PDB file of all heavy atoms in Angstrom:
ATOM      1  N   LEU J 148       8.032  15.980  -5.046  1.00 98.00           N
ATOM      2  CA  LEU J 148       8.765  14.752  -4.745  1.00 98.00           C
ATOM      3  C   LEU J 148       7.757  13.602  -4.482  1.00 98.00           C
ATOM      4  O   LEU J 148       8.181  12.498  -4.108  1.00 98.00           O
ATOM      5  CB  LEU J 148       9.704  14.941  -3.565  1.00 98.00           C
ATOM      6  CG  LEU J 148      10.875  15.910  -3.901  1.00 98.00           C
ATOM      7  CD1 LEU J 148      11.568  16.374  -2.634  1.00 98.00           C
ATOM      8  CD2 LEU J 148      11.869  15.234  -4.863  1.00 98.00           C
ATOM      9  N   ASP J 149       6.485  13.877  -4.679  1.00 98.00           N
ATOM     10  CA  ASP J 149       5.489  12.809  -4.595  1.00 98.00           C
ATOM     11  C   ASP J 149       5.337  12.212  -6.014  1.00 98.00           C
ATOM     12  O   ASP J 149       5.366  12.954  -6.972  1.00 98.00           O
ATOM     13  CB  ASP J 149       4.134  13.354  -4.115  1.00 98.00           C
ATOM     14  CG  ASP J 149       3.634  14.604  -4.847  1.00 98.00           C
ATOM     15  OD1 ASP J 149       4.457  15.338  -5.413  1.00 98.00           O
ATOM     16  OD2 ASP J 149       2.403  14.869  -4.826  1.00 98.00           O
ATOM     17  N   CYS J 150       5.258  10.918  -6.132  1.00 96.00           N
ATOM     18  CA  CYS J 150       5.117  10.363  -7.467  1.00 96.00           C
ATOM     19  C   CYS J 150       4.239   9.102  -7.469  1.00 96.00           C
ATOM     20  O   CYS J 150       3.998   8.488  -6.417  1.00 96.00           O
ATOM     21  CB  CYS J 150       6.460  10.065  -8.106  1.00 96.00           C
ATOM     22  SG  CYS J 150       7.565   9.126  -7.094  1.00 96.00           S
ATOM     23  N   ASP J 151       3.715   8.779  -8.653  1.00 96.00           N
ATOM     24  CA  ASP J 151       2.826   7.605  -8.816  1.00 96.00           C
ATOM     25  C   ASP J 151       3.678   6.338  -9.000  1.00 96.00           C
ATOM     26  O   ASP J 151       4.905   6.387  -8.977  1.00 96.00           O
ATOM     27  CB  ASP J 151       1.832   7.836  -9.951  1.00 96.00           C
ATOM     28  CG  ASP J 151       2.488   7.925 -11.315  1.00 96.00           C
ATOM     29  OD1 ASP J 151       3.635   7.552 -11.448  1.00 96.00           O
ATOM     30  OD2 ASP J 151       1.795   8.393 -12.255  1.00 96.00           O
ATOM     31  N   SER J 152       2.989   5.220  -9.263  1.00 94.00           N
ATOM     32  CA  SER J 152       3.710   3.927  -9.332  1.00 94.00           C
ATOM     33  C   SER J 152       4.674   3.879 -10.531  1.00 94.00           C
ATOM     34  O   SER J 152       5.566   3.039 -10.581  1.00 94.00           O
ATOM     35  CB  SER J 152       2.701   2.763  -9.391  1.00 94.00           C
ATOM     36  OG  SER J 152       1.786   3.048 -10.448  1.00 94.00           O
ATOM     37  N   THR J 153       4.463   4.756 -11.525  1.00 96.00           N
ATOM     38  CA  THR J 153       5.385   4.776 -12.657  1.00 96.00           C
ATOM     39  C   THR J 153       6.541   5.741 -12.463  1.00 96.00           C
ATOM     40  O   THR J 153       7.385   5.927 -13.318  1.00 96.00           O
ATOM     41  CB  THR J 153       4.643   5.184 -13.978  1.00 96.00           C
ATOM     42  OG1 THR J 153       4.328   6.598 -13.878  1.00 96.00           O
ATOM     43  CG2 THR J 153       3.379   4.401 -14.156  1.00 96.00           C
ATOM     44  N   GLY J 154       6.569   6.421 -11.290  1.00 95.00           N
ATOM     45  CA  GLY J 154       7.622   7.382 -11.008  1.00 95.00           C
ATOM     46  C   GLY J 154       7.345   8.761 -11.506  1.00 95.00           C
ATOM     47  O   GLY J 154       8.226   9.655 -11.407  1.00 95.00           O
ATOM     48  N   THR J 155       6.124   9.022 -11.961  1.00 97.00           N
ATOM     49  CA  THR J 155       5.780  10.351 -12.451  1.00 97.00           C
ATOM     50  C   THR J 155       5.394  11.268 -11.287  1.00 97.00           C
ATOM     51  O   THR J 155       4.571  10.911 -10.468  1.00 97.00           O
ATOM     52  CB  THR J 155       4.611  10.290 -13.446  1.00 97.00           C
ATOM     53  OG1 THR J 155       4.924   9.356 -14.477  1.00 97.00           O
ATOM     54  CG2 THR J 155       4.308  11.653 -14.067  1.00 97.00           C
ATOM     55  N   ALA J 156       6.079  12.385 -11.221  1.00 98.00           N
ATOM     56  CA  ALA J 156       5.841  13.310 -10.091  1.00 98.00           C
ATOM     57  C   ALA J 156       4.732  14.312 -10.400  1.00 98.00           C
ATOM     58  O   ALA J 156       4.436  14.555 -11.564  1.00 98.00           O
ATOM     59  CB  ALA J 156       7.144  14.090  -9.823  1.00 98.00           C
ATOM     60  N   TYR J 157       4.155  14.864  -9.325  1.00 98.00           N
ATOM     61  CA  TYR J 157       3.213  15.992  -9.492  1.00 98.00           C
ATOM     62  C   TYR J 157       4.015  17.161 -10.021  1.00 98.00           C
ATOM     63  O   TYR J 157       5.136  17.417  -9.626  1.00 98.00           O
ATOM     64  CB  TYR J 157       2.543  16.349  -8.171  1.00 98.00           C
ATOM     65  CG  TYR J 157       1.478  17.422  -8.372  1.00 98.00           C
ATOM     66  CD1 TYR J 157       0.181  17.084  -8.689  1.00 98.00           C
ATOM     67  CD2 TYR J 157       1.836  18.782  -8.249  1.00 98.00           C
ATOM     68  CE1 TYR J 157      -0.766  18.067  -8.923  1.00 98.00           C
ATOM     69  CE2 TYR J 157       0.868  19.765  -8.489  1.00 98.00           C
ATOM     70  CZ  TYR J 157      -0.448  19.415  -8.808  1.00 98.00           C
ATOM     71  OH  TYR J 157      -1.385  20.340  -9.031  1.00 98.00           O
ATOM     72  N   GLY J 158       3.436  17.916 -10.937  1.00 98.00           N
ATOM     73  CA  GLY J 158       4.098  19.105 -11.476  1.00 98.00           C
ATOM     74  C   GLY J 158       3.126  20.160 -11.903  1.00 98.00           C
ATOM     75  O   GLY J 158       1.957  19.885 -12.120  1.00 98.00           O
ATOM     76  N   ALA J 159       3.619  21.395 -11.995  1.00 98.00           N
ATOM     77  CA  ALA J 159       2.772  22.530 -12.435  1.00 98.00           C
ATOM     78  C   ALA J 159       3.721  23.661 -12.797  1.00 98.00           C
ATOM     79  O   ALA J 159       4.903  23.601 -12.493  1.00 98.00           O
ATOM     80  CB  ALA J 159       1.816  22.954 -11.348  1.00 98.00           C
ATOM     81  N   SER J 160       3.171  24.689 -13.428  1.00 98.00           N
ATOM     82  CA  SER J 160       4.011  25.859 -13.750  1.00 98.00           C
ATOM     83  C   SER J 160       3.193  27.146 -13.673  1.00 98.00           C
ATOM     84  O   SER J 160       1.966  27.131 -13.719  1.00 98.00           O
ATOM     85  CB  SER J 160       4.641  25.713 -15.141  1.00 98.00           C
ATOM     86  OG  SER J 160       3.662  25.659 -16.125  1.00 98.00           O
ATOM     87  N   ILE J 161       3.967  28.231 -13.528  1.00 98.00           N
ATOM     88  CA  ILE J 161       3.379  29.584 -13.596  1.00 98.00           C
ATOM     89  C   ILE J 161       4.226  30.408 -14.532  1.00 98.00           C
ATOM     90  O   ILE J 161       5.411  30.080 -14.798  1.00 98.00           O
ATOM     91  CB  ILE J 161       3.396  30.247 -12.160  1.00 98.00           C
ATOM     92  CG1 ILE J 161       4.834  30.396 -11.612  1.00 98.00           C
ATOM     93  CG2 ILE J 161       2.506  29.479 -11.195  1.00 98.00           C
ATOM     94  CD1 ILE J 161       4.932  31.248 -10.337  1.00 98.00           C
ATOM     95  N   PRO J 162       3.685  31.503 -15.030  1.00 98.00           N
ATOM     96  CA  PRO J 162       4.515  32.360 -15.924  1.00 98.00           C
ATOM     97  C   PRO J 162       5.738  32.930 -15.202  1.00 98.00           C
ATOM     98  O   PRO J 162       5.659  33.306 -14.026  1.00 98.00           O
ATOM     99  CB  PRO J 162       3.554  33.487 -16.317  1.00 98.00           C
ATOM    100  CG  PRO J 162       2.175  32.923 -16.120  1.00 98.00           C
ATOM    101  CD  PRO J 162       2.324  31.999 -14.923  1.00 98.00           C
ATOM    102  N   LEU J 163       6.866  32.982 -15.940  1.00 98.00           N
ATOM    103  CA  LEU J 163       8.113  33.520 -15.375  1.00 98.00           C
ATOM    104  C   LEU J 163       7.913  34.963 -14.900  1.00 98.00           C
ATOM    105  O   LEU J 163       8.475  35.386 -13.876  1.00 98.00           O
ATOM    106  CB  LEU J 163       9.222  33.435 -16.410  1.00 98.00           C
ATOM    107  CG  LEU J 163      10.597  34.042 -16.031  1.00 98.00           C
ATOM    108  CD1 LEU J 163      11.217  33.276 -14.842  1.00 98.00           C
ATOM    109  CD2 LEU J 163      11.546  34.034 -17.213  1.00 98.00           C
ATOM    110  N   ALA J 164       7.085  35.728 -15.638  1.00 98.00           N
ATOM    111  CA  ALA J 164       6.855  37.138 -15.291  1.00 98.00           C
ATOM    112  C   ALA J 164       6.291  37.266 -13.868  1.00 98.00           C
ATOM    113  O   ALA J 164       6.652  38.136 -13.120  1.00 98.00           O
ATOM    114  CB  ALA J 164       5.941  37.775 -16.320  1.00 98.00           C
ATOM    115  N   ARG J 165       5.382  36.346 -13.497  1.00 98.00           N
ATOM    116  CA  ARG J 165       4.833  36.359 -12.135  1.00 98.00           C
ATOM    117  C   ARG J 165       5.895  35.943 -11.106  1.00 98.00           C
ATOM    118  O   ARG J 165       6.060  36.550 -10.072  1.00 98.00           O
ATOM    119  CB  ARG J 165       3.622  35.447 -12.040  1.00 98.00           C
ATOM    120  CG  ARG J 165       2.982  35.425 -10.640  1.00 98.00           C
ATOM    121  CD  ARG J 165       1.823  34.483 -10.498  1.00 98.00           C
ATOM    122  NE  ARG J 165       0.646  34.857 -11.266  1.00 98.00           N
ATOM    123  CZ  ARG J 165      -0.281  35.749 -10.884  1.00 98.00           C
ATOM    124  NH1 ARG J 165      -0.170  36.353  -9.719  1.00 98.00           N
ATOM    125  NH2 ARG J 165      -1.294  36.052 -11.675  1.00 98.00           N
ATOM    126  N   ALA J 166       6.638  34.911 -11.507  1.00 98.00           N
ATOM    127  CA  ALA J 166       7.664  34.373 -10.574  1.00 98.00           C
ATOM    128  C   ALA J 166       8.740  35.388 -10.241  1.00 98.00           C
ATOM    129  O   ALA J 166       9.234  35.438  -9.102  1.00 98.00           O
ATOM    130  CB  ALA J 166       8.299  33.111 -11.173  1.00 98.00           C
ATOM    131  N   LEU J 167       9.108  36.232 -11.211  1.00 98.00           N
ATOM    132  CA  LEU J 167      10.202  37.176 -10.997  1.00 98.00           C
ATOM    133  C   LEU J 167       9.718  38.523 -10.410  1.00 98.00           C
ATOM    134  O   LEU J 167      10.511  39.350 -10.037  1.00 98.00           O
ATOM    135  CB  LEU J 167      10.940  37.432 -12.305  1.00 98.00           C
ATOM    136  CG  LEU J 167      11.884  36.280 -12.782  1.00 98.00           C
ATOM    137  CD1 LEU J 167      12.551  36.679 -14.077  1.00 98.00           C
ATOM    138  CD2 LEU J 167      12.947  35.977 -11.705  1.00 98.00           C
ATOM    139  N   ASN J 168       8.394  38.691 -10.411  1.00 98.00           N
ATOM    140  CA  ASN J 168       7.861  39.983  -9.941  1.00 98.00           C
ATOM    141  C   ASN J 168       7.839  40.013  -8.392  1.00 98.00           C
ATOM    142  O   ASN J 168       7.016  39.270  -7.822  1.00 98.00           O
ATOM    143  CB  ASN J 168       6.446  40.187 -10.526  1.00 98.00           C
ATOM    144  CG  ASN J 168       5.792  41.464 -10.027  1.00 98.00           C
ATOM    145  OD1 ASN J 168       6.421  42.260  -9.334  1.00 98.00           O
ATOM    146  ND2 ASN J 168       4.542  41.659 -10.378  1.00 98.00           N
ATOM    147  N   PRO J 169       8.652  40.818  -7.750  1.00 98.00           N
ATOM    148  CA  PRO J 169       8.660  40.834  -6.283  1.00 98.00           C
ATOM    149  C   PRO J 169       7.280  41.179  -5.706  1.00 98.00           C
ATOM    150  O   PRO J 169       6.890  40.717  -4.637  1.00 98.00           O
ATOM    151  CB  PRO J 169       9.698  41.845  -5.922  1.00 98.00           C
ATOM    152  CG  PRO J 169      10.101  42.575  -7.155  1.00 98.00           C
ATOM    153  CD  PRO J 169       9.615  41.792  -8.337  1.00 98.00           C
ATOM    154  N   GLU J 170       6.500  41.987  -6.452  1.00 98.00           N
ATOM    155  CA  GLU J 170       5.171  42.375  -5.989  1.00 98.00           C
ATOM    156  C   GLU J 170       4.187  41.205  -5.964  1.00 98.00           C
ATOM    157  O   GLU J 170       3.153  41.235  -5.281  1.00 98.00           O
ATOM    158  CB  GLU J 170       4.592  43.474  -6.922  1.00 98.00           C
ATOM    159  CG  GLU J 170       5.371  44.781  -6.865  1.00 98.00           C
ATOM    160  CD  GLU J 170       5.259  45.463  -5.519  1.00 98.00           C
ATOM    161  OE1 GLU J 170       4.139  45.805  -5.121  1.00 98.00           O
ATOM    162  OE2 GLU J 170       6.319  45.624  -4.867  1.00 98.00           O
ATOM    163  N   ALA J 171       4.493  40.163  -6.740  1.00 98.00           N
ATOM    164  CA  ALA J 171       3.591  39.013  -6.773  1.00 98.00           C
ATOM    165  C   ALA J 171       3.840  38.080  -5.568  1.00 98.00           C
ATOM    166  O   ALA J 171       3.000  37.221  -5.261  1.00 98.00           O
ATOM    167  CB  ALA J 171       3.786  38.212  -8.073  1.00 98.00           C
TER     168      ALA J 171
END
Side-chain angles (χ1 to χ4, degrees):
L148 293 165
D149 50 337
C150 51
D151 67 15
S152 54
T153 71
T155 307
Y157 185 87
S160 62
I161 60 169
L163 177 64
R165 181 183 291 278
L167 285 179
N168 178 5
E170 295 293 299

